[in-house]
Amino acid sequence: MKINWSEHEALPDGGIPMVRRLVFGQNISCLHLTASEPGPLELQPHAHDNEQWVVVTAGSIHFVCEGEEYELKAGDVAYFPSGRRHTATRVGEDGAVLLELSAPARLDLVPGSLVPSAMRFD
C-alpha cells in the first residue's frame, strides 16, 4: 500500500515547530515530520516504551540520546531503544524531513485517542 502524505491531515502541532502526519498499522506507526525553519528546538528530553527509528529524507536535524549528540543528514538513520532518553535539539539550515517509525504503534498520537501519552519526562 502506497502512502500519499498529502492526503493525511496534519496533526495538531503540540508545541513542536514541525508539520506532522501519522499513519499506523497494528504493530508500527510512521510519523512524517517536516521542519521548514532552521534553528533550535525546545523539546524536552523524554523516553517511552516504543522502539523508535528515525530516517532523515531531506535536510538535517540534531538529536541527543542518553547524552550523546548526533547530526543526522539525508539518508541517515538513528535508532532509539525502548526506555532511552532522547530529544531533537536543532533543525539544520535547509530544514528537515524525516520519518519516525515506532513499535508498538504510537496510538496516543491519533486524534481523538483515549490512549494515554507514551511520553515520559523527568
Side-chain angles (χ1 to χ4, degrees), residues 6 12 21 24 27 52 59 65 70 73 79 82 84-85 90 94 99 113 120:
S6 64
R21 290 180 164 81
F24 59 95
N27 299 306
Q52 191 172 71
C65 183
Y70 304 92
K73 298 178 181 180
Y79 170 65
S82 173
R84 295 282 178 93
R85 286 176 34 84
R90 186 166 59 82
D94 296 324
L99 299 173
S113 174
R120 294 190 314 268

Short mmCIF file of all heavy atoms in Angstrom, two decimals, residues 6 12 21 24 27 52 59 65 70 73 79 82 84-85 90 94 99 113 120:
data_model
loop_
_atom_site.label_atom_id
_atom_site.label_comp_id
_atom_site.label_asym_id
_atom_site.label_seq_id
_atom_site.Cartn_x
_atom_site.Cartn_y
_atom_site.Cartn_z
N SER A 6 0.33 13.80 1.54
CA SER A 6 -0.50 14.99 1.38
C SER A 6 -1.98 14.69 1.58
O SER A 6 -2.78 15.60 1.79
CB SER A 6 -0.27 15.64 0.02
OG SER A 6 -0.67 14.77 -1.02
N PRO A 12 -2.29 18.23 15.21
CA PRO A 12 -2.03 19.47 15.95
C PRO A 12 -0.54 19.54 16.31
O PRO A 12 0.08 18.50 16.57
CB PRO A 12 -2.89 19.31 17.20
CG PRO A 12 -3.93 18.31 16.85
CD PRO A 12 -3.31 17.40 15.84
N ARG A 21 2.38 14.25 10.21
CA ARG A 21 1.30 13.43 9.66
C ARG A 21 1.57 11.98 10.07
O ARG A 21 2.71 11.52 10.04
CB ARG A 21 1.26 13.55 8.14
CG ARG A 21 0.78 14.92 7.67
CD ARG A 21 0.74 15.01 6.14
NE ARG A 21 -0.05 16.13 5.70
CZ ARG A 21 0.38 17.39 5.65
NH1 ARG A 21 1.61 17.69 6.03
NH2 ARG A 21 -0.42 18.36 5.21
N PHE A 24 -0.60 4.42 10.71
CA PHE A 24 -0.27 3.34 11.64
C PHE A 24 -0.95 2.06 11.21
O PHE A 24 -1.98 2.07 10.54
CB PHE A 24 -0.65 3.69 13.08
CG PHE A 24 -2.11 3.98 13.27
CD1 PHE A 24 -2.99 2.99 13.67
CD2 PHE A 24 -2.61 5.25 13.04
CE1 PHE A 24 -4.33 3.26 13.84
CE2 PHE A 24 -3.95 5.54 13.21
CZ PHE A 24 -4.81 4.54 13.61
N ASN A 27 1.03 -2.92 14.40
CA ASN A 27 2.22 -3.07 15.22
C ASN A 27 3.23 -1.94 15.12
O ASN A 27 4.18 -1.92 15.89
CB ASN A 27 2.93 -4.38 14.85
CG ASN A 27 2.04 -5.57 15.09
OD1 ASN A 27 1.52 -5.75 16.18
ND2 ASN A 27 1.84 -6.38 14.06
N GLN A 52 12.12 3.24 18.56
CA GLN A 52 11.93 4.29 17.57
C GLN A 52 13.10 4.32 16.60
O GLN A 52 14.26 4.28 17.01
CB GLN A 52 11.82 5.63 18.29
CG GLN A 52 11.36 6.77 17.43
CD GLN A 52 11.10 7.99 18.31
OE1 GLN A 52 12.03 8.59 18.81
NE2 GLN A 52 9.84 8.31 18.49
N GLY A 59 17.44 17.45 4.30
CA GLY A 59 17.94 18.38 5.30
C GLY A 59 18.73 17.68 6.39
O GLY A 59 19.34 16.63 6.17
N CYS A 65 20.79 11.41 22.48
CA CYS A 65 20.28 10.19 23.08
C CYS A 65 21.23 9.79 24.20
O CYS A 65 22.43 9.60 23.96
CB CYS A 65 20.16 9.07 22.05
SG CYS A 65 19.45 7.54 22.73
N TYR A 70 24.02 13.63 18.02
CA TYR A 70 24.17 13.17 16.65
C TYR A 70 23.60 14.21 15.69
O TYR A 70 22.54 14.77 15.95
CB TYR A 70 23.37 11.87 16.41
CG TYR A 70 23.71 10.76 17.34
CD1 TYR A 70 23.01 10.59 18.53
CD2 TYR A 70 24.72 9.86 17.04
CE1 TYR A 70 23.31 9.55 19.39
CE2 TYR A 70 25.02 8.82 17.89
CZ TYR A 70 24.31 8.67 19.07
OH TYR A 70 24.61 7.64 19.91
N LYS A 73 21.81 13.59 8.70
CA LYS A 73 21.59 14.22 7.39
C LYS A 73 20.78 13.28 6.52
O LYS A 73 20.61 12.11 6.86
CB LYS A 73 22.93 14.53 6.74
CG LYS A 73 23.77 15.50 7.53
CD LYS A 73 25.10 15.73 6.87
CE LYS A 73 25.93 16.70 7.70
NZ LYS A 73 27.23 16.94 7.09
N TYR A 79 18.50 4.96 15.74
CA TYR A 79 17.68 4.01 16.48
C TYR A 79 17.70 4.40 17.95
O TYR A 79 18.77 4.60 18.52
CB TYR A 79 18.22 2.59 16.30
CG TYR A 79 17.58 1.58 17.20
CD1 TYR A 79 16.23 1.26 17.08
CD2 TYR A 79 18.33 0.93 18.18
CE1 TYR A 79 15.64 0.32 17.91
CE2 TYR A 79 17.74 -0.01 19.01
CZ TYR A 79 16.40 -0.30 18.88
OH TYR A 79 15.82 -1.23 19.70
N SER A 82 13.86 1.19 23.37
CA SER A 82 12.81 1.40 24.36
C SER A 82 13.43 1.90 25.66
O SER A 82 14.44 1.38 26.13
CB SER A 82 12.09 0.08 24.60
OG SER A 82 11.18 0.18 25.66
N ARG A 84 15.07 4.65 26.39
CA ARG A 84 16.23 5.55 26.33
C ARG A 84 15.78 7.00 26.21
O ARG A 84 14.93 7.33 25.40
CB ARG A 84 17.12 5.22 25.14
CG ARG A 84 17.78 3.88 25.21
CD ARG A 84 18.99 3.91 26.16
NE ARG A 84 19.62 2.64 26.29
CZ ARG A 84 20.64 2.22 25.55
NH1 ARG A 84 21.15 3.00 24.62
NH2 ARG A 84 21.14 1.03 25.75
N ARG A 85 16.38 7.88 27.02
CA ARG A 85 16.07 9.31 26.98
C ARG A 85 16.68 9.92 25.72
O ARG A 85 17.85 9.70 25.43
CB ARG A 85 16.66 10.01 28.21
CG ARG A 85 15.90 9.72 29.48
CD ARG A 85 16.56 10.34 30.70
NE ARG A 85 17.23 11.59 30.47
CZ ARG A 85 16.65 12.80 30.47
NH1 ARG A 85 15.37 12.90 30.68
NH2 ARG A 85 17.34 13.89 30.27
N ARG A 90 17.96 20.58 17.33
CA ARG A 90 18.11 21.66 16.35
C ARG A 90 17.85 21.14 14.94
O ARG A 90 18.25 20.04 14.59
CB ARG A 90 19.54 22.22 16.43
CG ARG A 90 19.78 23.43 15.57
CD ARG A 90 21.09 24.15 15.95
NE ARG A 90 22.27 23.32 15.82
CZ ARG A 90 22.91 23.10 14.69
NH1 ARG A 90 22.48 23.62 13.57
NH2 ARG A 90 23.99 22.35 14.67
N ASP A 94 18.88 23.87 6.11
CA ASP A 94 17.96 23.59 5.00
C ASP A 94 16.65 22.96 5.46
O ASP A 94 15.91 22.39 4.66
CB ASP A 94 18.64 22.67 3.98
CG ASP A 94 19.84 23.34 3.33
OD1 ASP A 94 19.79 24.55 3.11
OD2 ASP A 94 20.82 22.63 3.06
N LEU A 99 11.16 10.57 8.78
CA LEU A 99 10.17 9.56 9.12
C LEU A 99 10.55 9.01 10.49
O LEU A 99 11.71 8.70 10.73
CB LEU A 99 10.17 8.42 8.10
CG LEU A 99 9.82 8.79 6.68
CD1 LEU A 99 10.03 7.59 5.76
CD2 LEU A 99 8.40 9.30 6.59
N SER A 113 -7.81 9.93 20.30
CA SER A 113 -7.42 8.73 21.03
C SER A 113 -7.62 8.91 22.53
O SER A 113 -7.38 9.98 23.09
CB SER A 113 -5.95 8.40 20.75
OG SER A 113 -5.53 7.32 21.57
N ARG A 120 7.40 9.94 28.58
CA ARG A 120 7.76 10.09 29.99
C ARG A 120 8.85 11.14 30.09
O ARG A 120 9.90 11.01 29.46
CB ARG A 120 8.26 8.76 30.55
CG ARG A 120 7.19 7.68 30.61
CD ARG A 120 7.65 6.46 31.40
NE ARG A 120 8.97 5.99 31.05
CZ ARG A 120 9.26 5.07 30.14
NH1 ARG A 120 8.29 4.53 29.43
NH2 ARG A 120 10.48 4.68 29.93
#
